[in-house]
Amino acid sequence: MSRTTRTPGKERTPLKDRVPGGTDGRRMLLIGFIDKCGTGLWSTAMALYFTYVAGLGLGQVGLLIGMSGAAGIAGAPLGGRLADRFPLVRVIVGAQLLRAAALLALLTTDHYLLLILFSAAGALPDRAANVLTKLYAARVAGPDRVRYQAVNRTASNLGWTLGGLGAAAALAVGSTTAFQLLLVGDALSCLVMAALTLRCAEPPSPTVSRIAASSACTAPTPAAKPSNPWRDRGFLSFTAGEAVFFLHDSILQVALPLWIVHATDAPVGLAPLLLVVNSALVVLFQVPLSRFGATTDAARRLLLPLAGLFVVGTLAVGVSALGGRTLATGALITAAVVLTFAEMIHTIASWEISVALAPDDAQGAYLGVHGLAQATQRFAGPLLMTGLVSAGPLAWPVLGAALVATAAAQNRLVRRRLPEPSLSVAKVTVSEH
């Protein structure tokens, strides 16, 4: 019997080798997946828990969520600062344990002020976790960090979808016990993540690596004062622009559902389907698209198509209000698809550029400040989208123009900060096999 031979160079890369970062990188992806499973369980039912279990009124629920969101804004820079001063793995574990404790504390009371306090205490490490995991990925994945982030987003969306399905099943029961189990499930996911994170090795710090590389050929020099992102006007301007770009989250999650109900003839049931489309597209295309942002220059060039996608997406939302069920449905599906691709393109560009602009001696602090963009958007974005929906169809082209102007400003700023053909990492080819 003859034995089939493989042509050299044609073997498929094992799945485990397609994920950058080695064993710790894969373990952190699993942690991110578990994180989103738990978050999908709780965040979907949070407002209903406070309404039906804690007995709060609509205004009280809105104020509680808003205040906890405002407190969470401080989580990103605080987490980044701690990561520059302490071992990153320990900081991540601490954030996960604090999240679990804050969630479980909600079960112990229905006192309004305590609910606000516990929610705010949970929002701080929750927002910090985004920056800390991003920082870990940047250190452990090295030159493949863009692809790593793409795989991470894919895993996160799968986790979020599974968590949302679990929440839907519990909400169908609608009992107090069902709501409480969702909260406990999120808390348990944090404890599982902490246990898994303890098994991860501490990634090398950029500063330590740089000092080790130069110590053999240079004499020791006095340590310079670390860079301060709060005094870096260019980076602060970049972060402000990022907050504008992150509005795609609020457009998809807040504006479109409200717009469907108040301004179009589209069926109300279209709203959750658009979110399903969003998650499915991210799972399918985030990793393949990552190769277009494998270097800093390539990531900067993505700002041009990003501007075009924002224009098409916002105009499609405005067109959906012109009348007719068919037109509205088609325009809204188009908007959701286009804005999802804008979300993916922005994620790629934002990830690479933010890491490239952060100095080695203060990478955590810089990425923490950059995390303010998304945290601020989560707080202010829904308010802005509510006003935009009230303003009517003409507000959408105005928003599109603002996003285009922001893209042009970001492009100039990044090109000025990185004047040479700058690669934050060595140029790599991202394989899709």
Side-chain angles (χ1 to χ4, degrees), residues 232-270:
D232 189 334
R233 294 183 180 179
F235 192 81
L236 292 177
S237 298
F238 171 75
T239 300
E242 286 285 276
V244 177
F245 285 151
F246 273 116
L247 285 174
H248 54 64
D249 283 345
S250 289
I251 294 174
L252 289 165
Q253 297 177 19
V254 179
L256 288 189
L258 293 176
W259 187 255
I260 288 171
V261 173
H262 295 286
T264 77
D265 295 324
V268 175
L270 182 63

PDB file of all heavy atoms in Angstrom, residues 232-270:
ATOM      1  N   ASP A 232       0.975  65.332  27.473  1.00  0.00           N
ATOM      2  CA  ASP A 232       1.221  65.086  26.053  1.00  0.00           C
ATOM      3  C   ASP A 232      -0.011  65.525  25.263  1.00  0.00           C
ATOM      4  O   ASP A 232      -0.963  64.765  25.080  1.00  0.00           O
ATOM      5  CB  ASP A 232       1.509  63.591  25.839  1.00  0.00           C
ATOM      6  CG  ASP A 232       2.000  63.285  24.433  1.00  0.00           C
ATOM      7  OD1 ASP A 232       1.682  64.049  23.509  1.00  0.00           O
ATOM      8  OD2 ASP A 232       2.687  62.259  24.263  1.00  0.00           O
ATOM      9  N   ARG A 233       0.004  66.768  24.776  1.00  0.00           N
ATOM     10  CA  ARG A 233      -1.185  67.311  24.113  1.00  0.00           C
ATOM     11  C   ARG A 233      -1.541  66.537  22.850  1.00  0.00           C
ATOM     12  O   ARG A 233      -2.723  66.365  22.528  1.00  0.00           O
ATOM     13  CB  ARG A 233      -0.947  68.791  23.770  1.00  0.00           C
ATOM     14  CG  ARG A 233      -0.814  69.682  24.992  1.00  0.00           C
ATOM     15  CD  ARG A 233      -0.645  71.136  24.586  1.00  0.00           C
ATOM     16  NE  ARG A 233      -0.510  71.996  25.756  1.00  0.00           N
ATOM     17  CZ  ARG A 233      -0.338  73.313  25.688  1.00  0.00           C
ATOM     18  NH1 ARG A 233      -0.270  73.919  24.493  1.00  0.00           N
ATOM     19  NH2 ARG A 233      -0.236  74.027  26.792  1.00  0.00           N
ATOM     20  N   GLY A 234      -0.515  66.079  22.133  1.00  0.00           N
ATOM     21  CA  GLY A 234      -0.789  65.311  20.924  1.00  0.00           C
ATOM     22  C   GLY A 234      -1.532  64.023  21.227  1.00  0.00           C
ATOM     23  O   GLY A 234      -2.498  63.674  20.548  1.00  0.00           O
ATOM     24  N   PHE A 235      -1.103  63.314  22.270  1.00  0.00           N
ATOM     25  CA  PHE A 235      -1.763  62.051  22.608  1.00  0.00           C
ATOM     26  C   PHE A 235      -3.159  62.304  23.162  1.00  0.00           C
ATOM     27  O   PHE A 235      -4.094  61.538  22.897  1.00  0.00           O
ATOM     28  CB  PHE A 235      -0.931  61.273  23.624  1.00  0.00           C
ATOM     29  CG  PHE A 235      -1.385  59.854  23.796  1.00  0.00           C
ATOM     30  CD1 PHE A 235      -0.997  58.877  22.893  1.00  0.00           C
ATOM     31  CD2 PHE A 235      -2.210  59.497  24.857  1.00  0.00           C
ATOM     32  CE1 PHE A 235      -1.426  57.559  23.039  1.00  0.00           C
ATOM     33  CE2 PHE A 235      -2.643  58.189  25.010  1.00  0.00           C
ATOM     34  CZ  PHE A 235      -2.253  57.215  24.106  1.00  0.00           C
ATOM     35  N   LEU A 236      -3.323  63.376  23.924  1.00  0.00           N
ATOM     36  CA  LEU A 236      -4.651  63.718  24.429  1.00  0.00           C
ATOM     37  C   LEU A 236      -5.597  64.058  23.274  1.00  0.00           C
ATOM     38  O   LEU A 236      -6.783  63.695  23.303  1.00  0.00           O
ATOM     39  CB  LEU A 236      -4.560  64.883  25.416  1.00  0.00           C
ATOM     40  CG  LEU A 236      -3.864  64.588  26.755  1.00  0.00           C
ATOM     41  CD1 LEU A 236      -3.783  65.852  27.591  1.00  0.00           C
ATOM     42  CD2 LEU A 236      -4.609  63.494  27.521  1.00  0.00           C
ATOM     43  N   SER A 237      -5.082  64.745  22.259  1.00  0.00           N
ATOM     44  CA  SER A 237      -5.900  65.050  21.088  1.00  0.00           C
ATOM     45  C   SER A 237      -6.283  63.768  20.349  1.00  0.00           C
ATOM     46  O   SER A 237      -7.428  63.608  19.893  1.00  0.00           O
ATOM     47  CB  SER A 237      -5.146  65.991  20.144  1.00  0.00           C
ATOM     48  OG  SER A 237      -4.869  67.226  20.772  1.00  0.00           O
ATOM     49  N   PHE A 238      -5.329  62.860  20.237  1.00  0.00           N
ATOM     50  CA  PHE A 238      -5.615  61.575  19.611  1.00  0.00           C
ATOM     51  C   PHE A 238      -6.701  60.828  20.377  1.00  0.00           C
ATOM     52  O   PHE A 238      -7.632  60.256  19.785  1.00  0.00           O
ATOM     53  CB  PHE A 238      -4.334  60.743  19.545  1.00  0.00           C
ATOM     54  CG  PHE A 238      -4.541  59.331  19.111  1.00  0.00           C
ATOM     55  CD1 PHE A 238      -4.796  59.033  17.781  1.00  0.00           C
ATOM     56  CD2 PHE A 238      -4.476  58.290  20.032  1.00  0.00           C
ATOM     57  CE1 PHE A 238      -4.995  57.719  17.375  1.00  0.00           C
ATOM     58  CE2 PHE A 238      -4.662  56.976  19.632  1.00  0.00           C
ATOM     59  CZ  PHE A 238      -4.928  56.693  18.304  1.00  0.00           C
ATOM     60  N   THR A 239      -6.615  60.838  21.701  1.00  0.00           N
ATOM     61  CA  THR A 239      -7.614  60.169  22.534  1.00  0.00           C
ATOM     62  C   THR A 239      -8.991  60.795  22.371  1.00  0.00           C
ATOM     63  O   THR A 239     -10.009  60.090  22.321  1.00  0.00           O
ATOM     64  CB  THR A 239      -7.186  60.196  24.005  1.00  0.00           C
ATOM     65  OG1 THR A 239      -5.919  59.527  24.152  1.00  0.00           O
ATOM     66  CG2 THR A 239      -8.210  59.525  24.901  1.00  0.00           C
ATOM     67  N   ALA A 240      -9.043  62.123  22.267  1.00  0.00           N
ATOM     68  CA  ALA A 240     -10.332  62.799  22.058  1.00  0.00           C
ATOM     69  C   ALA A 240     -10.955  62.372  20.732  1.00  0.00           C
ATOM     70  O   ALA A 240     -12.167  62.131  20.643  1.00  0.00           O
ATOM     71  CB  ALA A 240     -10.138  64.313  22.093  1.00  0.00           C
ATOM     72  N   GLY A 241     -10.128  62.272  19.688  1.00  0.00           N
ATOM     73  CA  GLY A 241     -10.631  61.791  18.407  1.00  0.00           C
ATOM     74  C   GLY A 241     -11.134  60.361  18.491  1.00  0.00           C
ATOM     75  O   GLY A 241     -12.141  59.996  17.870  1.00  0.00           O
ATOM     76  N   GLU A 242     -10.445  59.546  19.273  1.00  0.00           N
ATOM     77  CA  GLU A 242     -10.865  58.161  19.454  1.00  0.00           C
ATOM     78  C   GLU A 242     -12.248  58.087  20.103  1.00  0.00           C
ATOM     79  O   GLU A 242     -13.057  57.218  19.770  1.00  0.00           O
ATOM     80  CB  GLU A 242      -9.850  57.417  20.319  1.00  0.00           C
ATOM     81  CG  GLU A 242      -8.558  57.079  19.622  1.00  0.00           C
ATOM     82  CD  GLU A 242      -8.759  55.925  18.651  1.00  0.00           C
ATOM     83  OE1 GLU A 242      -8.703  54.763  19.076  1.00  0.00           O
ATOM     84  OE2 GLU A 242      -9.007  56.203  17.457  1.00  0.00           O
ATOM     85  N   ALA A 243     -12.524  58.978  21.056  1.00  0.00           N
ATOM     86  CA  ALA A 243     -13.838  58.992  21.696  1.00  0.00           C
ATOM     87  C   ALA A 243     -14.935  59.239  20.668  1.00  0.00           C
ATOM     88  O   ALA A 243     -16.029  58.666  20.755  1.00  0.00           O
ATOM     89  CB  ALA A 243     -13.868  60.062  22.791  1.00  0.00           C
ATOM     90  N   VAL A 244     -14.652  60.083  19.674  1.00  0.00           N
ATOM     91  CA  VAL A 244     -15.622  60.329  18.609  1.00  0.00           C
ATOM     92  C   VAL A 244     -15.816  59.074  17.765  1.00  0.00           C
ATOM     93  O   VAL A 244     -16.945  58.680  17.433  1.00  0.00           O
ATOM     94  CB  VAL A 244     -15.165  61.514  17.727  1.00  0.00           C
ATOM     95  CG1 VAL A 244     -16.135  61.730  16.569  1.00  0.00           C
ATOM     96  CG2 VAL A 244     -15.050  62.781  18.561  1.00  0.00           C
ATOM     97  N   PHE A 245     -14.733  58.409  17.408  1.00  0.00           N
ATOM     98  CA  PHE A 245     -14.836  57.194  16.598  1.00  0.00           C
ATOM     99  C   PHE A 245     -15.616  56.099  17.313  1.00  0.00           C
ATOM    100  O   PHE A 245     -16.358  55.332  16.690  1.00  0.00           O
ATOM    101  CB  PHE A 245     -13.445  56.669  16.238  1.00  0.00           C
ATOM    102  CG  PHE A 245     -12.746  57.464  15.173  1.00  0.00           C
ATOM    103  CD1 PHE A 245     -11.363  57.530  15.146  1.00  0.00           C
ATOM    104  CD2 PHE A 245     -13.459  58.143  14.197  1.00  0.00           C
ATOM    105  CE1 PHE A 245     -10.706  58.248  14.153  1.00  0.00           C
ATOM    106  CE2 PHE A 245     -12.817  58.868  13.213  1.00  0.00           C
ATOM    107  CZ  PHE A 245     -11.432  58.921  13.190  1.00  0.00           C
ATOM    108  N   PHE A 246     -15.431  55.996  18.633  1.00  0.00           N
ATOM    109  CA  PHE A 246     -16.107  54.943  19.382  1.00  0.00           C
ATOM    110  C   PHE A 246     -17.620  55.125  19.439  1.00  0.00           C
ATOM    111  O   PHE A 246     -18.331  54.258  19.952  1.00  0.00           O
ATOM    112  CB  PHE A 246     -15.541  54.858  20.808  1.00  0.00           C
ATOM    113  CG  PHE A 246     -14.333  53.977  20.936  1.00  0.00           C
ATOM    114  CD1 PHE A 246     -13.107  54.507  21.313  1.00  0.00           C
ATOM    115  CD2 PHE A 246     -14.413  52.624  20.671  1.00  0.00           C
ATOM    116  CE1 PHE A 246     -11.983  53.704  21.424  1.00  0.00           C
ATOM    117  CE2 PHE A 246     -13.289  51.802  20.778  1.00  0.00           C
ATOM    118  CZ  PHE A 246     -12.076  52.340  21.153  1.00  0.00           C
ATOM    119  N   LEU A 247     -18.118  56.217  18.882  1.00  0.00           N
ATOM    120  CA  LEU A 247     -19.569  56.399  18.811  1.00  0.00           C
ATOM    121  C   LEU A 247     -20.248  55.310  17.996  1.00  0.00           C
ATOM    122  O   LEU A 247     -21.470  55.139  18.081  1.00  0.00           O
ATOM    123  CB  LEU A 247     -19.908  57.773  18.212  1.00  0.00           C
ATOM    124  CG  LEU A 247     -19.696  58.988  19.128  1.00  0.00           C
ATOM    125  CD1 LEU A 247     -19.917  60.272  18.351  1.00  0.00           C
ATOM    126  CD2 LEU A 247     -20.644  58.925  20.331  1.00  0.00           C
ATOM    127  N   HIS A 248     -19.471  54.559  17.198  1.00  0.00           N
ATOM    128  CA  HIS A 248     -20.116  53.481  16.453  1.00  0.00           C
ATOM    129  C   HIS A 248     -20.796  52.494  17.397  1.00  0.00           C
ATOM    130  O   HIS A 248     -21.802  51.875  17.038  1.00  0.00           O
ATOM    131  CB  HIS A 248     -19.126  52.757  15.536  1.00  0.00           C
ATOM    132  CG  HIS A 248     -17.883  52.237  16.193  1.00  0.00           C
ATOM    133  ND1 HIS A 248     -17.891  51.253  17.156  1.00  0.00           N
ATOM    134  CD2 HIS A 248     -16.575  52.560  16.015  1.00  0.00           C
ATOM    135  CE1 HIS A 248     -16.658  50.984  17.543  1.00  0.00           C
ATOM    136  NE2 HIS A 248     -15.830  51.768  16.868  1.00  0.00           N
ATOM    137  N   ASP A 249     -20.277  52.347  18.626  1.00  0.00           N
ATOM    138  CA  ASP A 249     -20.934  51.473  19.602  1.00  0.00           C
ATOM    139  C   ASP A 249     -22.332  51.970  19.941  1.00  0.00           C
ATOM    140  O   ASP A 249     -23.303  51.206  19.924  1.00  0.00           O
ATOM    141  CB  ASP A 249     -20.090  51.391  20.882  1.00  0.00           C
ATOM    142  CG  ASP A 249     -18.878  50.488  20.733  1.00  0.00           C
ATOM    143  OD1 ASP A 249     -18.840  49.715  19.754  1.00  0.00           O
ATOM    144  OD2 ASP A 249     -17.972  50.570  21.572  1.00  0.00           O
ATOM    145  N   SER A 250     -22.439  53.252  20.259  1.00  0.00           N
ATOM    146  CA  SER A 250     -23.731  53.812  20.644  1.00  0.00           C
ATOM    147  C   SER A 250     -24.689  53.900  19.458  1.00  0.00           C
ATOM    148  O   SER A 250     -25.901  53.796  19.628  1.00  0.00           O
ATOM    149  CB  SER A 250     -23.543  55.208  21.259  1.00  0.00           C
ATOM    150  OG  SER A 250     -22.936  55.106  22.534  1.00  0.00           O
ATOM    151  N   ILE A 251     -24.146  54.113  18.266  1.00  0.00           N
ATOM    152  CA  ILE A 251     -25.014  54.139  17.080  1.00  0.00           C
ATOM    153  C   ILE A 251     -25.697  52.786  16.915  1.00  0.00           C
ATOM    154  O   ILE A 251     -26.918  52.697  16.719  1.00  0.00           O
ATOM    155  CB  ILE A 251     -24.208  54.491  15.817  1.00  0.00           C
ATOM    156  CG1 ILE A 251     -23.690  55.931  15.895  1.00  0.00           C
ATOM    157  CG2 ILE A 251     -25.085  54.339  14.569  1.00  0.00           C
ATOM    158  CD1 ILE A 251     -22.766  56.309  14.747  1.00  0.00           C
ATOM    159  N   LEU A 252     -24.908  51.716  17.006  1.00  0.00           N
ATOM    160  CA  LEU A 252     -25.450  50.378  16.783  1.00  0.00           C
ATOM    161  C   LEU A 252     -26.329  49.906  17.939  1.00  0.00           C
ATOM    162  O   LEU A 252     -27.375  49.285  17.715  1.00  0.00           O
ATOM    163  CB  LEU A 252     -24.300  49.391  16.560  1.00  0.00           C
ATOM    164  CG  LEU A 252     -23.556  49.532  15.221  1.00  0.00           C
ATOM    165  CD1 LEU A 252     -22.234  48.782  15.257  1.00  0.00           C
ATOM    166  CD2 LEU A 252     -24.409  49.019  14.076  1.00  0.00           C
ATOM    167  N   GLN A 253     -25.924  50.202  19.163  1.00  0.00           N
ATOM    168  CA  GLN A 253     -26.624  49.637  20.306  1.00  0.00           C
ATOM    169  C   GLN A 253     -27.738  50.513  20.851  1.00  0.00           C
ATOM    170  O   GLN A 253     -28.688  50.004  21.459  1.00  0.00           O
ATOM    171  CB  GLN A 253     -25.610  49.350  21.423  1.00  0.00           C
ATOM    172  CG  GLN A 253     -24.561  48.319  21.031  1.00  0.00           C
ATOM    173  CD  GLN A 253     -23.531  48.097  22.126  1.00  0.00           C
ATOM    174  OE1 GLN A 253     -23.753  48.428  23.279  1.00  0.00           O
ATOM    175  NE2 GLN A 253     -22.382  47.540  21.763  1.00  0.00           N
ATOM    176  N   VAL A 254     -27.645  51.824  20.647  1.00  0.00           N
ATOM    177  CA  VAL A 254     -28.635  52.740  21.218  1.00  0.00           C
ATOM    178  C   VAL A 254     -29.435  53.455  20.133  1.00  0.00           C
ATOM    179  O   VAL A 254     -30.675  53.420  20.128  1.00  0.00           O
ATOM    180  CB  VAL A 254     -27.949  53.790  22.125  1.00  0.00           C
ATOM    181  CG1 VAL A 254     -28.975  54.764  22.691  1.00  0.00           C
ATOM    182  CG2 VAL A 254     -27.203  53.096  23.262  1.00  0.00           C
ATOM    183  N   ALA A 255     -28.732  54.092  19.189  1.00  0.00           N
ATOM    184  CA  ALA A 255     -29.423  54.934  18.212  1.00  0.00           C
ATOM    185  C   ALA A 255     -30.309  54.132  17.267  1.00  0.00           C
ATOM    186  O   ALA A 255     -31.465  54.510  17.018  1.00  0.00           O
ATOM    187  CB  ALA A 255     -28.400  55.751  17.416  1.00  0.00           C
ATOM    188  N   LEU A 256     -29.796  53.046  16.704  1.00  0.00           N
ATOM    189  CA  LEU A 256     -30.591  52.298  15.723  1.00  0.00           C
ATOM    190  C   LEU A 256     -31.887  51.736  16.316  1.00  0.00           C
ATOM    191  O   LEU A 256     -32.949  51.869  15.689  1.00  0.00           O
ATOM    192  CB  LEU A 256     -29.750  51.187  15.099  1.00  0.00           C
ATOM    193  CG  LEU A 256     -28.662  51.637  14.118  1.00  0.00           C
ATOM    194  CD1 LEU A 256     -28.061  50.431  13.405  1.00  0.00           C
ATOM    195  CD2 LEU A 256     -29.207  52.619  13.094  1.00  0.00           C
ATOM    196  N   PRO A 257     -31.866  51.094  17.499  1.00  0.00           N
ATOM    197  CA  PRO A 257     -33.146  50.641  18.060  1.00  0.00           C
ATOM    198  C   PRO A 257     -34.137  51.779  18.281  1.00  0.00           C
ATOM    199  O   PRO A 257     -35.328  51.651  17.960  1.00  0.00           O
ATOM    200  CB  PRO A 257     -32.738  49.998  19.390  1.00  0.00           C
ATOM    201  CG  PRO A 257     -31.333  49.548  19.171  1.00  0.00           C
ATOM    202  CD  PRO A 257     -30.721  50.616  18.297  1.00  0.00           C
ATOM    203  N   LEU A 258     -33.676  52.912  18.813  1.00  0.00           N
ATOM    204  CA  LEU A 258     -34.564  54.049  19.024  1.00  0.00           C
ATOM    205  C   LEU A 258     -35.053  54.628  17.696  1.00  0.00           C
ATOM    206  O   LEU A 258     -36.210  55.011  17.557  1.00  0.00           O
ATOM    207  CB  LEU A 258     -33.848  55.135  19.833  1.00  0.00           C
ATOM    208  CG  LEU A 258     -33.513  54.792  21.288  1.00  0.00           C
ATOM    209  CD1 LEU A 258     -32.718  55.932  21.923  1.00  0.00           C
ATOM    210  CD2 LEU A 258     -34.782  54.526  22.082  1.00  0.00           C
ATOM    211  N   TRP A 259     -34.160  54.669  16.720  1.00  0.00           N
ATOM    212  CA  TRP A 259     -34.514  55.215  15.404  1.00  0.00           C
ATOM    213  C   TRP A 259     -35.578  54.347  14.726  1.00  0.00           C
ATOM    214  O   TRP A 259     -36.502  54.859  14.090  1.00  0.00           O
ATOM    215  CB  TRP A 259     -33.257  55.296  14.551  1.00  0.00           C
ATOM    216  CG  TRP A 259     -33.432  55.994  13.237  1.00  0.00           C
ATOM    217  CD1 TRP A 259     -33.496  55.418  12.001  1.00  0.00           C
ATOM    218  CD2 TRP A 259     -33.554  57.399  13.026  1.00  0.00           C
ATOM    219  NE1 TRP A 259     -33.651  56.368  11.036  1.00  0.00           N
ATOM    220  CE2 TRP A 259     -33.690  57.598  11.634  1.00  0.00           C
ATOM    221  CE3 TRP A 259     -33.565  58.506  13.869  1.00  0.00           C
ATOM    222  CZ2 TRP A 259     -33.833  58.855  11.064  1.00  0.00           C
ATOM    223  CZ3 TRP A 259     -33.703  59.766  13.315  1.00  0.00           C
ATOM    224  CH2 TRP A 259     -33.838  59.939  11.933  1.00  0.00           C
ATOM    225  N   ILE A 260     -35.442  53.040  14.843  1.00  0.00           N
ATOM    226  CA  ILE A 260     -36.425  52.123  14.261  1.00  0.00           C
ATOM    227  C   ILE A 260     -37.814  52.396  14.822  1.00  0.00           C
ATOM    228  O   ILE A 260     -38.811  52.438  14.086  1.00  0.00           O
ATOM    229  CB  ILE A 260     -36.010  50.663  14.530  1.00  0.00           C
ATOM    230  CG1 ILE A 260     -34.793  50.291  13.680  1.00  0.00           C
ATOM    231  CG2 ILE A 260     -37.155  49.693  14.250  1.00  0.00           C
ATOM    232  CD1 ILE A 260     -34.184  48.950  14.026  1.00  0.00           C
ATOM    233  N   VAL A 261     -37.885  52.617  16.113  1.00  0.00           N
ATOM    234  CA  VAL A 261     -39.177  52.806  16.777  1.00  0.00           C
ATOM    235  C   VAL A 261     -39.764  54.184  16.489  1.00  0.00           C
ATOM    236  O   VAL A 261     -40.964  54.319  16.211  1.00  0.00           O
ATOM    237  CB  VAL A 261     -39.030  52.599  18.301  1.00  0.00           C
ATOM    238  CG1 VAL A 261     -40.320  52.966  19.023  1.00  0.00           C
ATOM    239  CG2 VAL A 261     -38.637  51.158  18.595  1.00  0.00           C
ATOM    240  N   HIS A 262     -38.947  55.220  16.526  1.00  0.00           N
ATOM    241  CA  HIS A 262     -39.465  56.592  16.499  1.00  0.00           C
ATOM    242  C   HIS A 262     -39.431  57.268  15.134  1.00  0.00           C
ATOM    243  O   HIS A 262     -40.083  58.301  14.947  1.00  0.00           O
ATOM    244  CB  HIS A 262     -38.668  57.458  17.492  1.00  0.00           C
ATOM    245  CG  HIS A 262     -38.850  57.054  18.917  1.00  0.00           C
ATOM    246  ND1 HIS A 262     -40.000  57.313  19.638  1.00  0.00           N
ATOM    247  CD2 HIS A 262     -38.031  56.380  19.775  1.00  0.00           C
ATOM    248  CE1 HIS A 262     -39.891  56.836  20.859  1.00  0.00           C
ATOM    249  NE2 HIS A 262     -38.692  56.271  20.974  1.00  0.00           N
ATOM    250  N   ALA A 263     -38.677  56.739  14.155  1.00  0.00           N
ATOM    251  CA  ALA A 263     -38.517  57.503  12.920  1.00  0.00           C
ATOM    252  C   ALA A 263     -38.729  56.705  11.645  1.00  0.00           C
ATOM    253  O   ALA A 263     -38.696  57.285  10.560  1.00  0.00           O
ATOM    254  CB  ALA A 263     -37.114  58.125  12.888  1.00  0.00           C
ATOM    255  N   THR A 264     -38.949  55.404  11.729  1.00  0.00           N
ATOM    256  CA  THR A 264     -39.059  54.603  10.513  1.00  0.00           C
ATOM    257  C   THR A 264     -40.292  53.711  10.558  1.00  0.00           C
ATOM    258  O   THR A 264     -40.953  53.554  11.598  1.00  0.00           O
ATOM    259  CB  THR A 264     -37.817  53.707  10.317  1.00  0.00           C
ATOM    260  OG1 THR A 264     -37.885  52.579  11.203  1.00  0.00           O
ATOM    261  CG2 THR A 264     -36.540  54.473  10.581  1.00  0.00           C
ATOM    262  N   ASP A 265     -40.567  53.081   9.405  1.00  0.00           N
ATOM    263  CA  ASP A 265     -41.658  52.108   9.300  1.00  0.00           C
ATOM    264  C   ASP A 265     -41.140  50.676   9.402  1.00  0.00           C
ATOM    265  O   ASP A 265     -41.875  49.723   9.120  1.00  0.00           O
ATOM    266  CB  ASP A 265     -42.389  52.282   7.955  1.00  0.00           C
ATOM    267  CG  ASP A 265     -43.086  53.634   7.854  1.00  0.00           C
ATOM    268  OD1 ASP A 265     -43.607  54.111   8.878  1.00  0.00           O
ATOM    269  OD2 ASP A 265     -43.098  54.224   6.752  1.00  0.00           O
ATOM    270  N   ALA A 266     -39.882  50.505   9.760  1.00  0.00           N
ATOM    271  CA  ALA A 266     -39.296  49.169   9.887  1.00  0.00           C
ATOM    272  C   ALA A 266     -39.906  48.450  11.088  1.00  0.00           C
ATOM    273  O   ALA A 266     -40.308  49.082  12.074  1.00  0.00           O
ATOM    274  CB  ALA A 266     -37.787  49.269  10.053  1.00  0.00           C
ATOM    275  N   PRO A 267     -39.982  47.129  11.027  1.00  0.00           N
ATOM    276  CA  PRO A 267     -40.532  46.377  12.168  1.00  0.00           C
ATOM    277  C   PRO A 267     -39.628  46.485  13.391  1.00  0.00           C
ATOM    278  O   PRO A 267     -38.397  46.509  13.265  1.00  0.00           O
ATOM    279  CB  PRO A 267     -40.590  44.940  11.653  1.00  0.00           C
ATOM    280  CG  PRO A 267     -39.595  44.887  10.538  1.00  0.00           C
ATOM    281  CD  PRO A 267     -39.607  46.254   9.911  1.00  0.00           C
ATOM    282  N   VAL A 268     -40.231  46.540  14.555  1.00  0.00           N
ATOM    283  CA  VAL A 268     -39.468  46.670  15.795  1.00  0.00           C
ATOM    284  C   VAL A 268     -38.525  45.483  15.978  1.00  0.00           C
ATOM    285  O   VAL A 268     -37.415  45.619  16.497  1.00  0.00           O
ATOM    286  CB  VAL A 268     -40.429  46.791  16.996  1.00  0.00           C
ATOM    287  CG1 VAL A 268     -39.638  46.811  18.310  1.00  0.00           C
ATOM    288  CG2 VAL A 268     -41.283  48.032  16.869  1.00  0.00           C
ATOM    289  N   GLY A 269     -38.943  44.303  15.527  1.00  0.00           N
ATOM    290  CA  GLY A 269     -38.118  43.105  15.667  1.00  0.00           C
ATOM    291  C   GLY A 269     -36.819  43.154  14.896  1.00  0.00           C
ATOM    292  O   GLY A 269     -35.947  42.290  15.081  1.00  0.00           O
ATOM    293  N   LEU A 270     -36.656  44.180  14.031  1.00  0.00           N
ATOM    294  CA  LEU A 270     -35.408  44.309  13.287  1.00  0.00           C
ATOM    295  C   LEU A 270     -34.246  44.699  14.200  1.00  0.00           C
ATOM    296  O   LEU A 270     -33.092  44.360  13.910  1.00  0.00           O
ATOM    297  CB  LEU A 270     -35.572  45.356  12.182  1.00  0.00           C
ATOM    298  CG  LEU A 270     -34.374  45.604  11.270  1.00  0.00           C
ATOM    299  CD1 LEU A 270     -34.018  44.344  10.489  1.00  0.00           C
ATOM    300  CD2 LEU A 270     -34.655  46.769  10.308  1.00  0.00           C
TER     301      LEU A 270
END
